[in-house]
Amino acid sequence: MLTKKDFSFLIILCLAICFVPAFAQSSRIRALIVDGQNNHEQWPKITAMMKQYLEQTGKFSVDLQRTQFTWQGDKYIEAYPIKGLRQTQALAQSKVDSTFHPEFSKYDLVICNFGWNAAPWTAKTQADFEKYMKNGGGLVVIHAADNSFPEWPAYNQMIGLGGWGDRTEKDGPYVYYDQNNKLVKDTQPGKAGSHGSQFDFLITLRDTTHPITKGMPKKWLHNKDELYDRLRGPAKNMQILATAFSPKSNNGTDCNEPTLITIHYGKGRIFHMTLGHADYSVECVGFISCLQRGSQWAATGKVDIPIPDDFPTETEKRQRKFDK
């Protein structure tokens, strides 16, 4: 027969079992991926990949908000469906979606997977996002998202550096490290944004003490990707964590171009990664680890996600094949 003491213990145990999952869920970083218009047609798959990679850590819950009008990537939208999304309409050209207005304040982190030629957000959505960031929100900018929204001044400040979209010296200096490892801010006239053919390239850390990069090899080999160069922007409150050499033999600059960047905007934190052109680029364990750690830092200012044992080395790239 149960005593009153035993009965009380069982009640407490049942309550604990019921409330632990809810507490675990609430303690996760609330992340929102925004996408819908991107010249890189694999963007729907890359959104699905990033969602999975973040949730695999057990530290994130990830939602997605997509513009009602989508541009490019039609077959990937069908191949990589995400539950809970509204019906979208694929168009031959990008188009402003007046209904796109995420409730940013519900989230600790926003991950931008828009790209070149994405239609601008409405003035109200822009203003709300600026307020969110100034008040301490987190932002992760992936690859072609630094091509987006060239006429939005606050966004250019948030990403630090950008390319294409008629960006030029009017938008800020071209920032890089020269071959003597000197940081250069070049204000000479010129267009922003270019890249050579895709190739495997070596990432070199410029800051080994930052929470995102701490514990990573000083140099590591990234899988086949576009290496962006000649990026320009306000470059304020910005720190370059890593670069990669862009050789002239591959229509590059013979300079060390930024690949991992952090920026502060108001109280907000931004992690900008120029990597991530295609699925094989995103399968790089270096990319996955940077995404996970950079996202945690942007959301919280701290990182405790470990460097994985299969992280790339200076001579060996490492991939994890994506399984949806």
Side-chain angles (χ1 to χ4, degrees):
M1 179 179 291
L2 288 174
T3 66
K4 187 179 290 186
K5 184 176 181 181
D6 292 334
F7 187 69
S8 298
F9 174 77
L10 286 174
I11 291 175
I12 293 170
L13 182 62
C14 288
L15 288 172
I17 292 171
C18 290
F19 282 106
V20 163
F23 173 77
Q25 179 71 22
S26 65
S27 66
R28 290 178 183 170
I29 294 168
R30 297 163 299 175
L32 175 69
I33 300 176
V34 291
D35 70 9
Q37 301 181 18
N38 194 322
N39 58 310
H40 293 62
E41 66 171 2
Q42 285 191 350
W43 63 261
K45 180 178 182 179
I46 289 173
T47 284
M49 294 172 77
M50 293 193 296
K51 177 176 167 64
Q52 183 180 110
Y53 293 148
L54 291 173
E55 291 179 337
Q56 282 175 343
T57 67
K59 294 181 180 293
F60 297 86
S61 62
V62 183
D63 293 338
L64 172 62
Q65 189 149 345
R66 182 165 289 167
T67 51
Q68 180 180 0
F69 307 118
T70 62
W71 179 60
Q72 304 285 31
D74 301 1
K75 65 180 181 181
Y76 289 97
I77 292 175
E78 294 180 6
Y80 296 90
I82 294 179
K83 291 181 181 179
L85 288 185
R86 61 179 173 170
Q87 187 67 34
T88 58
Q89 180 183 357
L91 300 178
Q93 295 181 332
S94 59
K95 179 180 177 180
V96 174
D97 174 11
S98 61
T99 68
F100 181 76
H101 197 159
E103 195 173 345
F104 298 114
S105 60
K106 289 174 54 178
Y107 297 95
D108 306 301
L109 177 70
V110 174
I111 300 151
C112 186
N113 192 26
F114 283 87
W116 174 81
N117 204 38
W121 298 353
T122 65
K124 175 62 175 169
T125 303
Q126 289 183 13
D128 283 356
F129 188 63
E130 291 173 28
K131 180 180 178 181
Y132 164 79
M133 289 303 300
K134 286 178 179 177
N135 288 341
L139 172 64
V140 172
V141 177
I142 299 296
H143 195 57
D146 68 20
N147 303 183
S148 303
F149 317 132
E151 296 180 355
W152 182 4
Y155 186 77
N156 285 328
Q157 292 177 34
M158 291 178 204
I159 65 176
L161 298 173
W164 294 273
D166 294 324
R167 288 180 171 94
T168 65
E169 70 280 356
K170 73 181 186 308
D171 298 287
Y174 161 36
V175 182
Y176 63 95
Y177 278 84
D178 66 16
Q179 293 192 38
N180 294 316
N181 293 314
K182 178 183 176 183
L183 180 63
V184 177
K185 294 185 176 181
D186 186 348
T187 59
Q188 295 182 77
K191 291 185 176 181
S194 63
H195 61 78
S197 301
Q198 297 176 53
F199 69 115
D200 301 338
F201 50 83
L202 199 64
I203 303 292
T204 298
L205 299 189
R206 298 291 167 174
D207 186 339
T208 59
T209 63
H210 192 279
I212 296 172
T213 54
K214 188 175 182 180
M216 290 182 184
K218 174 73 174 178
K219 296 178 182 290
W220 52 273
L221 190 60
H222 177 50
N223 197 53
K224 184 180 177 181
D225 207 337
E226 289 178 340
L227 175 52
Y228 282 179
D229 55 37
R230 298 183 177 90
L231 297 182
R232 292 178 174 270
K236 295 179 180 178
N237 304 310
M238 184 183 84
Q239 181 178 4
I240 297 173
L241 302 185
T243 60
F245 186 71
S246 175
K248 281 190 176 178
S249 59
N250 190 39
N251 294 317
T253 59
D254 268 358
C255 297
N256 298 289
E257 303 290 343
T259 54
L260 306 178
I261 307 167
T262 60
I263 307 99
H264 286 83
Y265 178 83
K267 296 179 181 178
R269 287 177 296 269
I270 299 98
F271 175 59
H272 177 176
M273 178 159 53
T274 67
L275 313 176
H277 172 72
D279 50 5
Y280 44 79
S281 314
V282 175
E283 287 175 339
C284 173
V285 178
F287 179 97
I288 296 169
S289 185
C290 288
L291 171 70
Q292 293 169 339
R293 291 167 64 87
S295 295
Q296 187 181 32
W297 176 83
T300 69
K302 300 178 181 179
V303 178
D304 63 9
I305 297 173
I307 305 293
D309 292 338
D310 59 343
F311 196 89
T313 69
E314 185 172 352
T315 57
E316 186 178 356
K317 59 186 181 181
R318 304 275 175 80
Q319 279 184 276
R320 293 180 193 162
K321 284 296 181 182
F322 176 69
D323 182 4
K324 67 173 181 176

